[in-house]
């Protein structure tokens, strides 16, 4: 609602200043017109960005994503809802039993409460995904800025290294690497996922830096004697970050899927770690007789990934309008 | 065209060297015990076996020489020997037909469905079908594909009994339908979305106006003019989707017990058989590189503009 009023006000503001300028210097409108127009659309953006939060296809997945983060951070708040919040409290007599009061999802192979285990499983998935996406983003920003800003040999080296990683069907590459790593913790799994996650993000950021680095204000900053570091940090990176920011949520969804897939295959986390992948890996042996073992971890996994994908789709429209 | 082919081939060289060197580093040269890595983590290795592995893989030689020896083995088709003393090459020879059949079926299915849905969504953009395709593809993107595969197997094979739940004993169409569909529906979102965007863009171009002005029917315009031009970018996505098909085959063949290359990797992991995993994994990567090269060349044939870039 208010963004329309705002932009109209600003338009008339600029109209006024333009008039003021033309009165004094007749040659001004042409060169001066460009940055003024950019400023209008720039401030114009801020309105829709906040308005976007009020759109259901942004705030619904956003609420779900926040809930997922909350469950990952404090699983103990949610696991005890039905009175049996300890995922390690098991009795073999209940092995693979289906749901009953107090244990809505039933029990796993070891006779542990499945609901508590699925809730605690959120943590490993989300932690790994956040670690991977955070570290890949840092790498993508640094390498993408270097490649897109300096071009030439720097760009060639970085781009050829990326080509090598695009040469892998990622899952197969990760299987080979993880298969040779003897200790598999959250850190090693995250490390291998990050190794294959940075190239795609770097490519996106490099492409937008390539565009930004030629814009007038960057050229102007350079003419004024600003150093490379300053130009990159205060002009290029902030103005190129949109497309990268818009794929972060999608990337988290992709990493969660990949981690669950690797763990499911047996090259990711291992029991006694509590994770959806481990639960699915165990469940596959019993799935014809005890489908609930497979159903509930799958459900949580799918809803989580879907939330990140939907949020990513919604945010892309806001953060990267050019992507349409 | 010749220059384009040569340039593509030259492009391949660093990628090929890079990927193989990375695998080589990970398996043979990382700090840690390469013998253990080859034998599979957690396996007890007898001293005689250890000595044999060190001798076979030249583990005492300098790094570069080891890498050259490794490349030599790859190029002569020696993908190693598994723990039971069987050559991985023989396993590959026995299992590739299953993977090729599964992959091609899924590729064709996914490609056709993606183009069909994308075109329909594009020519009626904003309509009910368009919205459903968008919602459907998002749903597919959100649900991990091994989850879909298990649910499909449970519903259609175990509960309803329409299709065989595992193995390939029922031959090509019957045993392959369910796994191929599971693999194919994950190709659909990207292809459908790209086709839709491409069709939408082309509908607004001048030659469509010309065709309308000539009095051509809507169907002719869409099929003969718009679709032909819209499919070009889709070809490149078909190439990229090969990576997904190859990765997906490991999970899908594993879930449906199909004795292909992916299944061999799946079982190799479960049995801690490092040589199988590394050997077949490397082969899959080489195949992926080769197929990508072919798709690039095909793209160059279909679209002359690409040769000039």
């Amino acid at each position: 609602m208010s963004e329309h009023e705002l932009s109209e006000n600003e338009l008339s503001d600029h109209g006024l200043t333009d008039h003021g300028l033309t009165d004094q210097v007749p040659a001004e409108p042409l060169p001066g017109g460009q940055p003024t127009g950019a400023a209008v659309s720039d401030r114009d953006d801020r309105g829709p960005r906040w308005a976007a939060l009020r759109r259901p296809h942004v705030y619904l997945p956003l609420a779900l994503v926040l809930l997922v983060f909350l469950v990952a951070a404090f699983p103990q708040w949610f696991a005890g809802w039905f009175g049996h919040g300890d995922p390690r409290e098991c009795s073999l007599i209940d092995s693979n039993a289906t749901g009953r009061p107090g244990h809505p999802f039933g029990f796993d192979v070891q006779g542990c409460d499945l609901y508590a285990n699925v809730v605690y499983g959120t943590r490993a998935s989300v932690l790994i995904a956040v670690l991977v996406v955070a570290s890949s983003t840092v790498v993508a920003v640094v390498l993408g800025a270097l490649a897109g800003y300096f071009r030439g040999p720097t760009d060639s080296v970085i781009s050829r290294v990326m080509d090598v990683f695009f040469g892998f069907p990622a899952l197969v590459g990760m299987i080979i690497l993880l298969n040779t790593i003897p200790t598999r913790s959250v850190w090693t799994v995250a490390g291998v996922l990050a190794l294959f996650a940075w190239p795609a993000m770097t490519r996106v950021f490099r492409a937008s830096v390539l565009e930004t680095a030629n814009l007038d204000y960057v050229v102007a900053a350079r003419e004024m004697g600003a150093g490379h570091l300053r130009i990159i940090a205060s002009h290029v990176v902030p103005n190129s970050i949109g497309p990268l920011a818009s794929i972060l949520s999608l990337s988290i969804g992709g990493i969660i899927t990949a981690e669950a897939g690797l763990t499911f295959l047996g090259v990711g986390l291992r029991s006694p770690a509590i994770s959806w992948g481990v639960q699915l890996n165990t469940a596959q042996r019993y799935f014809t007789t005890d489908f609930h073992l497979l159903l509930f971890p799958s459900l949580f996994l799918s809803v989580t990934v879907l939330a990140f994908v939907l949020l990513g789709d919604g945010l892309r429209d806001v953060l990267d309008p050019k992507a349409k | 065209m010749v220059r384009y082919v040569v340039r593509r081939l030259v492009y391949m060289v660093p990628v090929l060297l890079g990927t193989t060197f990375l695998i080589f580093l990970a398996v043979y040269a990382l700090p840690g015990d390469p013998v253990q890595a080859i034998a599979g983590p957690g396996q007890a290795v007898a001293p005689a076996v250890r000595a044999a592995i060190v001798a076979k893989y030249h583990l005492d030689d300098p790094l570069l020489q080891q890498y050259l020896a490794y490349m030599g083995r790859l190029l002569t088709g020696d993908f190693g020997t598994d723990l039971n003393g069987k050559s991985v090459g023989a396993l590959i020879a026995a299992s590739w037909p299953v993977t090729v059949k599964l992959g091609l079926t899924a590729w064709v299915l996914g490609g056709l469905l993606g183009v069909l849905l994308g075109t329909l969504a594009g020519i009626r953009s904003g309509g009910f079908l368009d919205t459903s395709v968008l919602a459907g593809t998002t749903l597919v993107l959100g649900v991990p594909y091994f989850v879909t595969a298990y649910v499909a197997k449970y519903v259609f094979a175990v509960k309803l009994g329409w299709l065989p739940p595992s193995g390939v004993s029922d031959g090509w169409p019957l045993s392959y339908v369910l796994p191929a569909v599971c693999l194919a529906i994950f190709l659909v979102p990207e292809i459908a979305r790209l086709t839709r965007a491409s069709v939408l863009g082309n509908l607004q171009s001048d030659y469509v106006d010309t065709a309308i002005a000539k009095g051509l029917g809507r169907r002719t315009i869409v099929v003969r003019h718009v679709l032909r031009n819209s499919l070009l970018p889709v070809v490149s996505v078909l190439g990229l989707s090969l990576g997904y098909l190859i990765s997906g085959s490991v999970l899908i063949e594993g879930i449906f017990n199909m004795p292909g290359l992916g299944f061999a990797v799946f079982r190799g992991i479960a049995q801690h058989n490092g040589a199988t995993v590394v050997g077949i994994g490397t082969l899959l990567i080489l195949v992926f590189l080769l197929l990508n090269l072919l798709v690039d060349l095909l793209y160059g044939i279909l679209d002359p503009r690409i040769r000039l870039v």
Side-chain angles (χ1 to χ4, degrees):
Chain A
M1 40 158 243
S2 62
E3 78 264 14
H4 281 291
E5 292 162 23
L6 227 164
S7 58
E8 269 167 30
N9 280 342
E10 280 182 2
L11 272 175
S12 54
D13 267 357
H14 283 291
L16 276 175
T17 38
D18 267 355
H19 270 295
L21 281 169
T22 32
D23 283 348
Q24 287 166 341
V25 195
E28 191 63 15
L30 240 166
Q34 203 65 349
T36 316
V40 170
S41 67
D42 214 2
R43 256 176 252 174
D44 218 28
D45 269 1
R46 225 166 283 163
R49 260 176 219 189
W50 287 110
L53 281 178
R54 289 195 293 269
R55 276 190 271 166
H57 72 272
V58 174
Y59 73 69
L60 286 180
L62 183 65
L64 205 52
V65 162
L66 290 177
L67 178 68
V68 168
F69 277 125
L70 202 63
V71 175
F74 306 102
Q76 63 274 20
W77 292 358
F78 300 85
W81 279 4
F82 302 98
H84 301 84
D86 186 354
R88 307 250 187 232
E89 185 196 302
C90 319
S91 90
L92 274 175
I93 208 159
D94 292 320
S95 176
N96 287 1
T98 48
R100 63 166 183 246
H103 302 278
F105 291 1
F107 298 85
D108 70 6
V109 185
Q110 301 296 330
C112 316
D113 182 61
L114 190 56
Y115 172 73
N117 269 280
V118 171
V119 167
Y120 270 87
T122 316
R123 178 175 277 174
S125 292
V126 172
L127 180 60
I128 288 179
V130 169
L131 281 174
V132 171
V133 171
S135 55
S136 320
T137 306
V138 173
V139 174
V141 167
V142 172
L143 292 185
L146 289 177
Y149 181 80
F150 290 111
R151 300 185 206 186
T154 321
D155 184 24
S156 300
V157 170
I158 293 173
S159 293
R160 290 300 83 73
V161 174
M162 290 198 292
D163 281 346
V164 167
F165 283 93
F166 288 121
F168 283 96
L171 189 76
V172 177
M174 292 189 278
I175 288 173
I176 293 183
L177 273 183
L178 281 167
N179 200 47
T180 61
I181 295 176
T183 50
R184 295 198 207 115
S185 61
V186 165
W187 298 99
T188 50
V189 173
V192 170
L193 282 162
L195 186 66
F196 287 91
W198 70 268
M201 297 170 80
T202 307
R203 183 161 65 175
V204 169
F205 192 64
R206 173 185 168 272
S208 57
V209 168
L210 273 178
E211 262 178 49
T212 313
N214 270 339
L215 293 181
D216 288 347
Y217 56 81
V218 175
V219 178
R222 197 177 299 136
E223 301 294 312
M224 283 163 66
H228 290 311
L229 194 66
R230 189 191 163 82
I231 295 178
I232 292 177
S234 57
H235 296 290
V236 174
V237 169
N239 287 297
S240 313
I241 207 81
L244 182 63
S246 75
I247 60 163
L248 286 185
S249 188
L250 286 171
S251 307
I252 292 183
I255 297 295
I256 291 179
T257 308
E259 185 274 323
L262 289 170
T263 303
F264 168 79
L265 279 169
V267 287
L269 296 176
R270 283 193 185 133
S271 169
I274 298 179
S275 96
W276 294 330
V278 172
Q279 288 154 11
L280 292 171
N281 179 283
T282 319
Q284 58 176 315
R285 261 165 285 155
Y286 307 95
F287 98 101
T288 46
T289 48
D290 304 289
F291 193 61
H292 67 283
L293 292 183
L294 198 82
L295 179 68
F296 292 111
S298 305
L299 216 57
F300 268 59
L301 175 63
S302 304
V303 169
T304 302
V305 175
L306 201 58
F308 281 105
V309 168
L310 285 172
L311 180 64
D313 268 358
L315 285 183
R316 183 169 42 197
D317 303 340
V318 183
L319 293 172
D320 188 15
K322 268 176 280 177
K324 178 179 48 92
Chain B
M1 190 66 202
V2 176
R3 275 188 57 197
Y4 174 74
V5 173
V6 170
R7 203 170 54 218
R8 279 286 138 198
L9 286 173
V10 172
Y11 237 61
M12 277 285 290
V13 173
V15 175
L16 192 64
L17 290 179
T19 44
T20 48
F21 191 64
L22 214 63
I23 300 170
F24 165 76
L25 276 185
V27 180
Y28 301 101
L30 270 188
D33 187 358
V35 176
Q36 195 70 59
I38 292 164
Q43 293 281 345
V45 184
V49 176
R50 174 173 294 272
I53 291 178
V54 167
K56 175 164 173 82
Y57 294 99
H58 306 276
L59 292 179
D60 290 334
D61 290 348
L63 194 65
L64 192 67
Q65 211 172 325
Q66 284 188 46
Y67 175 64
L68 289 178
Y70 163 79
M71 281 303 282
R73 288 196 299 275
L74 274 191
L75 293 176
T76 51
D78 176 5
F79 288 93
T81 312
D82 74 2
L83 283 178
N84 309 321
K86 281 191 242 161
S87 104
V88 176
L91 181 61
I92 290 171
S95 46
W96 70 264
V98 173
T99 303
V100 170
K101 268 190 263 183
L102 176 67
L104 277 181
T105 315
W107 208 34
V108 172
L109 265 179
L112 287 179
L113 199 62
V115 169
L116 183 73
L117 289 177
T119 310
L120 292 177
I123 53 180
R124 301 237 162 83
S125 67
F128 172 72
L129 193 77
D130 188 23
T131 323
S132 327
V133 168
L134 184 69
T137 51
T138 309
L139 194 69
V140 167
L141 284 178
V143 183
Y145 48 91
F146 52 97
V147 169
T148 320
Y150 263 118
V151 172
K153 181 173 165 176
Y154 185 72
V155 173
F156 295 106
V158 177
K159 283 284 149 186
L160 297 172
W162 290 351
L163 292 157
S166 65
V168 288
S169 47
D170 291 303
W172 178 64
L174 210 54
S175 284
Y176 286 81
V177 172
L178 206 50
V181 168
C182 287
L183 207 45
I185 50 172
F186 289 91
L187 298 180
V188 173
E190 207 173 345
I191 296 174
R193 286 180 178 196
L194 191 74
T195 311
R196 176 187 176 275
S198 189
V199 164
L200 260 181
N202 277 319
L203 275 176
Q204 279 148 18
S205 55
D206 291 342
Y207 66 82
V208 171
D209 289 340
T210 313
I212 295 172
K214 280 201 301 188
L216 291 183
R218 193 179 160 77
R219 179 181 299 260
T220 320
I221 294 175
V222 169
V223 175
R224 296 274 300 274
H225 296 268
V226 174
L227 202 52
R228 257 190 208 183
N229 286 289
S230 305
L231 286 185
L232 274 172
V234 178
V235 172
S236 67
V237 173
L238 278 177
L240 286 177
S241 64
L242 286 168
Y244 156 75
L245 272 182
I246 289 174
S247 294
S249 73
V250 176
L251 286 160
I252 299 290
E253 285 179 13
I255 290 168
F256 288 95
N257 287 312
M258 308 179 76
L261 294 171
F263 180 71
V265 173
F266 186 83
R267 211 179 37 182
I269 294 169
Q271 297 175 342
H272 300 292
N273 207 334
T276 316
V277 176
V278 174
I280 296 186
T282 310
L283 173 77
L284 290 177
I285 289 165
L286 295 181
V287 168
F288 174 66
L289 288 176
L290 191 72
L291 289 176
N292 248 331
L293 177 72
L294 289 179
V295 170
D296 269 358
L297 295 182
L298 180 69
Y299 200 39
I301 294 171
L302 290 177
D303 187 356
R305 285 170 299 184
I306 207 85
R307 292 178 223 154
L308 303 171
V309 180

